[in-house]
Amino acid sequence: MTAVDPLAVPLAKQFGARTAKPLAKLGLATTGDLLRHYPRRYAEPGTLTDIASLRVGEHVTVMAEVVRSSARPTSQGRGLLQATITDGTHRLELTFFASNVHKLEWRKAQLRPGRRGLFTGTVSVYRDTLQLTQPECHLDEDEEAALEEAERPIPVYPAVAGFESWKIGKAVRAVLDPLREEDVPDPVPAHLRERDDLPTLLEALRLVHVPHDEAQWRRGRARLRYEEALVLQAELARRRAHVALTEAVARPPRAGGLLDAFDARLPFTLTAGQRAVGDEIAAELAAARPMQRLLQGEVGSGKTVVALRAMLQVVDAGGQAALLAPTEVLAAQHARTLRGMLGDLADGGFLGGASDATRVALLTGSLPTAARREAMLDAASGAAGIVVGTHALLSEHVQFADLGLVVVDEQHRFGVEQRDALRAKAARTPHTLVMTATPIPRTVAMTVFGDLETSVLDQLPAGRQGITTHVVPADNPRWTDRTWQRVREEVGGGGRAYVVCPRIDGDDDAAAAALAVEEDGTDLVTDAADAPDAAQRRPLRAVLDVAQELAARPDLAGVGIGVLHGRMAPDDKERAFADFASGAAPVLVSTTVIEVGVDVPDATVMVVLDADRFGLSQLHQLRGRLGRGTRPGLCLLVSAAEPGTDARTRLETLASTTDGFELAALDLELRHEGDVLGAAQHGRSTSLRLLRVTRDAAVIERARTDARALVEQDVDLAPWPHLRAAIEESLTGEREEFLERA
């Protein structure tokens, strides 16, 4: 008979459906899940709750001492028990009802004067006195045990209504107390535990769930935090090692080829950073081991030029390069940009093309059948040395003659399966260059892209103009009027104006907002701490409504106004973008489809409506569409966020600096870590419960060093099966996208 794993027992079987149902709302399905549901904080032992701080309507758990209790029948014959509890200064009333007074005798006996306990309920007011009606009470019947418990820190768990923190703690103890060491496999190898004097996993769980003092729960947390880092870094190290063991086709530079011809006609001088990163990439492409490199940098730092030079080196060596972009707008923009930079070097086989020219093919899902067939033929025959596309590149019908380099733009928009599907189209493992326009703090790069070598472009090309950013109060008509006057002034001077909205249309229901997010990648910030009450919350501004409003404004009379969003047909998108670039419609009202890659040198002003609903890094990306020509840019962030809120702080921070790396670090501090690491998309699937990349850089560094040492001994981690099992449980299937989508 197969032994039952005590950490894999369904909670419904362990406790029954009545208890399992509220725990499921917390994402907890098994006994192991429950043990990994760590306390959010610890209440100080013996410290009573400040009753004066309670607010009417709050659902609270208070620790207090019973002053008195009395039970009596009501005029209707029902039972009424009233008790008073105190924090030593202020008092709070407790009220209980029953069908008759006899049913309350046990509660009265429980609430003896002098006893301390936890009382949970919703604060209300009766005759000017704060009270809890029918509260949950947690008082230990064993007085000695109660005294002992009172000396311990009290774990406070993330909870749900109807299943309070103390109930979760009681369920945890029911699972934890009977466990033995052999019941709890430890992912951290014994020699690492001994080196750092770390407790075993079972010991650590007891330290965080049932600590005797603060030092114990801190020690337990430190061990669990290191374990999370080790599991993640071990998987990254394994990936890196497996890639190092595979063979790639070397793609060395060729003198007198396309790359040399391109460099000779560049109308600008490469920055020192572009040259240094280019040399790194060129050397790796020339090796027979697959390149695995992350290229990140400031908005407008010239990543596209670096990527194009890498693609041309591969084409010179007889191979092909594929550039995978997340949206059709961005893919089309990339194709236009590459063709424009190459000129006749991209007209291979056509009249007027250079003698050794190649082709740049564009492949998207909405292409007409004939154009799609032609692009697929160019890719399969090798006539197109560079193939740019969206998810359409991943189709089983798309083939390459000799795929040598995969360039993935905006890596966070793609899952691991999608990237691997494209790489699988090569006969041998292709080189991979991952690009991101979002500067990534070093700690995040270590945690999320630890299997990649990292290159950073932190210089802007000569001639890039500065951008000034201002926060505009949405509820001030004079400021609003001046905003649109500035737009008119910029357009009158030959500029272009972006107007960015968080939604597509004015439908106020949540489904419309979700659709805008799904189709356009809009990263709306919905932190409850910043959001006003639903009744007071103003509808988010929408593209279609704003376009109509602007067309009706006298100060914009005669100005062409275009719209761009994810629901439009591809031809309509192309037409809207072309009209904007040419000046036929110099004001473009858009969702965030223009966030990355879009390059219109004449764009000089951007107005972001409901700017507080976007993340800091995303606003930086949007702002980066400006200042690409000969004139400086102006970014106006229109918001109703109140001073002092996180949302307003984000905007004021953006206005104070244009340093993308500084902003990325601040964004990580201001927003939930899960937003960065994928928890928002995958709930409890993320493996990071205690580890914080902004705080735990030293832990991550230590875990990375240890993980690499383990993988150097055995790439499959065979000597440490529990570590391997933890990786497979935490980071496989959908959870693996945690590494890819962060």
Side-chain angles (χ1 to χ4, degrees), residues 182-448:
E182 56 266 31
D183 296 328
V184 186
D186 197 328
V188 179
H191 71 279
L192 295 179
R193 296 200 308 269
E194 292 167 5
R195 181 197 68 188
D196 295 335
D197 190 28
L198 298 176
T200 65
L201 177 54
L202 178 57
E203 288 175 313
L205 291 172
R206 285 177 173 152
L207 290 174
V208 296
H209 289 299
V210 198
H212 285 85
D213 52 40
E214 179 181 346
Q216 285 197 348
W217 65 255
R218 287 193 180 280
R219 183 169 184 251
R221 275 194 172 189
R223 180 252 135 85
L224 295 170
R225 190 175 294 125
Y226 169 77
E227 176 193 318
E228 290 180 0
L230 182 67
V231 169
L232 179 57
Q233 293 298 330
E235 173 60 7
L236 292 170
R238 287 179 69 204
R239 289 187 180 200
R240 191 167 182 161
H242 279 300
V243 171
L245 294 173
T246 62
E247 246 186 63
V249 177
R251 310 286 181 175
R254 176 168 65 87
L258 278 170
L259 179 55
D260 284 351
F262 174 72
D263 284 347
R265 62 175 66 186
L266 270 178
F268 53 84
T269 302
L270 295 174
T271 66
Q274 287 174 316
R275 289 195 298 271
V277 172
D279 290 343
E280 286 178 335
I281 292 173
E284 289 185 329
L285 291 175
R289 192 181 80 176
M291 177 181 74
Q292 292 278 98
R293 185 164 288 277
L294 168 68
L295 175 60
Q296 61 164 317
E298 271 293 4
V299 177
S301 58
K303 294 180 292 295
T304 302
V305 173
V306 172
L308 176 55
R309 295 184 74 248
M311 290 189 277
L312 292 177
Q313 179 174 325
V314 170
V315 174
D316 278 340
Q320 293 170 286
L323 195 164
L324 180 62
T327 67
E328 292 196 349
V329 170
L330 185 53
Q333 172 73 24
H334 274 311
R336 280 193 300 268
T337 299
L338 297 181
R339 288 168 182 158
M341 295 172 72
L342 289 170
D344 61 357
L345 296 176
D347 292 332
F350 295 107
L351 188 63
S355 58
D356 56 352
T358 187
R359 294 183 194 172
V360 177
L362 174 64
L363 185 59
T364 65
S366 62
L367 280 179
T369 302
R372 181 181 176 86
R373 186 181 297 117
E374 181 181 358
M376 292 175 62
L377 182 60
D378 283 348
S381 67
I386 299 174
V387 183
V388 181
T390 57
H391 296 75
L393 288 179
L394 310 179
S395 167
E396 60 180 335
H397 302 296
V398 176
Q399 298 179 345
F400 293 84
D402 184 8
L403 182 58
L405 172 65
V406 170
V407 180
V408 182
D409 194 19
E410 288 304 293
Q411 165 75 359
H412 64 283
R413 302 282 185 90
F414 296 99
V416 61
E417 293 90 351
Q418 294 163 322
R419 192 177 81 179
D420 288 346
L422 183 53
R423 292 195 300 191
K425 294 179 180 294
R428 277 192 280 181
T429 305
H431 301 282
T432 301
L433 179 64
V434 171
M435 296 197 300
T436 176
T438 303
I440 303 171
R442 180 172 174 274
T443 50
V444 177
M446 279 195 305
T447 305
V448 181

Side-chain angles (χ1 to χ4, degrees), residues 604-635:
T604 56
V605 62
M606 174 179 289
V607 180
V608 184
L609 301 177
D610 294 314
D612 52 286
R613 304 307 296 272
F614 299 95
L616 185 55
S617 292
Q618 186 175 39
L619 289 170
H620 182 56
Q621 294 305 315
L622 289 166
R623 179 174 63 178
R625 301 310 100 206
L626 303 176
R628 293 173 170 263
T630 59
R631 291 182 292 177
L634 173 66
C635 182

Side-chain angles (χ1 to χ4, degrees), residues 64 124 148 182 243 254 333 392 410 484 486 590 612 620 650 654 660 670 678:
S124 59
E148 180 183 346
E182 56 266 31
V243 171
R254 176 168 65 87
Q333 172 73 24
E410 288 304 293
W484 302 121
R486 285 292 287 120
S590 171
D612 52 286
H620 182 56
R650 275 196 298 271
L654 187 77
L670 287 169

